[in-house]
Amino acid sequence: MQAGMPSSGVGVIGRRSVSDFGAIGDNLSGASVVSGHDHLYNLQMLEAAYHRLPQPKDSERAKTYIPRHPSVTPASYPQIQAPIVTNPAFWERLGSDTLSTDMLFFAFYYQQNSYQQYLAAKELKKQSWRFHRKYNTWFQRHVEPQVTTDEYERGSYVYFDFHLADDGNGWCQRIKNDFTFEYNFLEDELSVQPN
């Protein structure tokens, strides 16, 4: 904090609050004039932002990878996907086995934008797992929530840690105590992707 600066206007990291700055072009003090350096800096930032505008291709879906020079694999290796993985009954059988929950998580995280991801998510939802969009992970109530409102619930949750660390930790279920699950981050809709 600088000497002579009132402490009431200082924010958490030593800056004034956003309301003190006003809108672009406002002259809050009436006498203050933007210095030449600040004006030049603002122009440079506007120029840099202009050259990095989003392009229409930025909103397109990522295309699946097709190798330019595919390697030849022995005939004993599968050459096409097994038809059983597109059968919903196969995924229902996986969902009924508690040891196969890892396989459902694997299909969800490693077969993105596929019909298999949809089927895996459907089975995880049947097991009371709920997907949190902010953290991109699955949560399940460990015990009944301590607090429940229209906007959130707070309590102990089991979550699936899908991050693999170099030390071997990860890809497991962990418990998060006193977690607030905000309903606006809850993924309710399952969308089917074409094969």
Side-chain angles (χ1 to χ4, degrees):
M1 185 172 4
Q2 296 176 353
M5 185 182 216
S7 62
S8 64
V10 176
V12 176
I13 57 173
R15 296 186 178 185
R16 294 191 166 276
S17 68
V18 175
S19 63
D20 292 342
F21 290 120
I24 295 174
D26 285 352
N27 191 350
L28 297 176
S29 65
S32 68
V33 177
V34 177
S35 70
H37 174 72
D38 289 342
H39 185 68
L40 180 63
Y41 177 76
N42 289 341
L43 287 175
Q44 289 173 340
M45 291 295 106
L46 282 171
E47 182 73 19
Y50 174 75
H51 289 292
R52 290 173 181 80
L53 286 174
Q55 302 296 315
K57 67 180 179 181
D58 294 336
S59 64
E60 295 174 1
R61 267 191 198 271
K63 301 206 174 13
T64 56
Y65 174 72
I66 299 173
R68 290 184 184 171
H69 307 287
S71 61
V72 179
T73 56
S76 60
Y77 282 51
Q79 302 297 316
I80 59 170
Q81 190 177 56
I84 193 167
V85 297
T86 58
N87 185 347
F90 170 75
W91 295 93
E92 287 174 14
R93 275 187 285 150
L94 283 180
S96 65
D97 183 9
T98 55
L99 297 176
S100 297
T101 306
D102 275 355
M103 189 176 208
L104 294 173
F105 285 124
F106 181 82
F108 180 82
Y109 286 111
Y110 286 95
Q111 296 187 3
Q112 294 185 1
N113 299 320
S114 69
Y115 186 56
Q116 289 77 20
Q117 182 187 36
Y118 165 77
L119 292 172
K122 186 176 171 184
E123 290 307 314
L124 286 168
K125 283 192 144 211
K126 283 183 183 177
Q127 295 180 15
S128 299
W129 287 94
R130 298 295 176 251
F131 189 72
H132 195 288
R133 290 188 316 241
K134 180 178 178 183
Y135 299 117
N136 291 327
T137 194
W138 290 89
F139 283 82
Q140 187 180 54
R141 287 179 178 165
H142 185 59
V143 294
E144 286 299 313
Q146 300 147 345
V147 178
T148 303
T149 68
D150 290 342
E151 289 87 30
Y152 68 90
E153 59 185 47
R154 183 179 304 130
S156 294
Y157 289 84
V158 176
Y159 71 97
F160 186 77
D161 183 4
F162 65 94
H163 296 99
L164 292 176
D166 292 335
D167 60 1
N169 290 328
W171 200 263
C172 62
Q173 294 179 19
R174 300 182 190 275
I175 296 177
K176 181 76 173 166
N177 293 315
D178 198 34
F179 178 74
T180 302
F181 196 117
E182 297 176 50
Y183 295 138
N184 59 333
F185 293 119
L186 175 65
E187 180 64 55
D188 277 337
E189 298 297 319
L190 291 177
S191 59
V192 181
Q193 297 292 327
N195 274 342

